[in-house]
Structures are given as C-alpha cells and as structure tokens.
Amino acid sequence: MTTTEFQVTGMTCGHCEMSVREEVGEVPGVEGIEVSHETGRLVVSGPEAIDETAVLAAVEEAGYEASRVG
Ligand code: 9UX
C-alpha cells in the first residue's frame, strides 16, 4: 500500500470534499481517499504508486487546485 499526499485549495465545505472524493475515486489504482476541507489535505492510497498527474487533473475536474506535498 502506498499513500500520496496533496494540498488542495478552494474547498470550503463537506460537499466540496464529496466532489473531490468522486473525481479522485475514478483515478485508476485509487482505493482509499482521505480529504478534509478544513486542512485542505488529500491523502490517496492504493496497492501501487498512483499517477500524481491524474490525481491533480481529477481535483481540477472537481473545481479545485491541488499540489503534491512531501
Ligand atoms: Mo459547499 Mo464547496 O456549499 O465548492 S460545495 S462550498
């Protein structure tokens, strides 16, 4: 299991989290998603390394901006 962390800007409520969750959940290999609008932190996990560019694009698709952390 690998985890990859991102910082998301623009989420202000729980529905924002749901939008991010929906889009990021469609990225191949993603099995777990932790996302908080309070901290802006997005942690994506899966059995193998996840395509960071695909996650960034998915967040953007949801209407927010993300960058890789760590
Ligand atoms: Mo909540 Mo987020 O009403 O863009 S969905 S602020």
Side-chain angles (χ1 to χ4, degrees):
M1 195 66 117
T2 66
T3 63
T4 313
E5 282 187 51
F6 302 85
Q7 193 66 28
V8 180
T9 54
M11 295 188 296
T12 52
C13 81
H15 289 112
C16 299
E17 293 173 4
M18 280 172 52
S19 303
V20 168
R21 199 174 273 284
E22 271 183 28
E23 292 294 336
V24 173
E26 289 178 10
V27 175
V30 171
E31 289 188 355
I33 300 169
E34 288 171 45
V35 59
S36 165
H37 72 276
E38 289 173 329
T39 62
R41 194 52 58 104
L42 167 67
V43 184
V44 175
S45 60
E48 286 169 29
I50 287 157
D51 181 354
E52 294 175 20
T53 310
V55 174
L56 295 173
V59 172
E60 216 164 292
E61 190 66 30
Y64 308 96
E65 290 292 328
S67 56
R68 176 79 165 86
V69 171

